[in-house]
Amino acid sequence: MGLVHFAYTMLIRKKQESWAYGFMLLFLTMTTVVLSDVVDNPYIGYKKAFSSHFLITLIVFIVLCFSSFMLYFANDAFLQFKSEELLIMGMSGQSFLAITSYLWLQIMMLLMIFLP
């Protein structure tokens, strides 16, 4: 069985975990893009004093840091759900590069599904 087919099959078998991770990626990407637009928008915070723009930027920075932590924990949970598959690959003699490309393929498949 090829690596791409194996990655796709395992995504289908663990559908609930894959969908949860995909929706988390979608939510965090949308949050990052929208809040980056808020910071760059000249109509928000520039009408008042400089301090209001600084306050908005600070709030956006804090939310983006929180989103980064959430993405870290989502990736950690995704890898914990994939530990059985990674163990199968490791026990069958796959190299580190093959296991890494397997995870990369699964994440790219999820990104192609959720981000467009």
Side-chain angles (χ1 to χ4, degrees):
M1 182 182 320
L3 188 62
V4 176
H5 187 263
F6 181 66
Y8 179 72
T9 304
M10 288 297 131
L11 274 178
I12 296 300
R13 280 194 185 163
K14 298 210 174 190
K15 194 181 298 185
Q16 186 176 9
E17 292 88 1
S18 300
W19 281 94
Y21 180 69
F23 280 123
M24 182 63 77
L25 285 176
L26 176 68
F27 174 73
L28 293 175
T29 304
M30 286 185 345
T31 304
T32 303
V33 169
V34 167
L35 290 178
S36 297
D37 289 340
V38 165
V39 170
D40 290 336
N41 192 348
Y43 299 109
I44 298 176
Y46 284 114
K47 293 180 181 177
K48 296 181 181 178
F50 176 75
S51 62
S52 66
H53 179 67
F54 178 74
L55 181 63
I56 290 172
T57 306
L58 182 65
I59 291 170
V60 168
F61 177 73
I62 290 170
V63 171
L64 288 178
C65 287
F66 180 72
S67 295
S68 298
F69 284 122
M70 291 298 293
L71 184 61
Y72 170 75
F73 290 125
N75 283 331
D76 185 45
F78 184 70
L79 287 178
Q80 285 181 0
F81 287 129
K82 298 295 175 184
S83 64
E84 179 182 324
E85 300 162 23
L86 299 177
L87 179 65
I88 291 170
M89 290 182 74
M91 294 294 286
S92 67
Q94 296 290 327
S95 66
F96 176 74
L97 183 63
I99 294 173
T100 304
S101 61
Y102 165 75
L103 287 173
W104 182 82
L105 276 171
Q106 281 195 334
I107 291 172
M108 287 301 121
M109 286 178 190
L110 287 172
L111 286 175
M112 286 190 294
I113 292 170
F114 283 97
L115 289 186

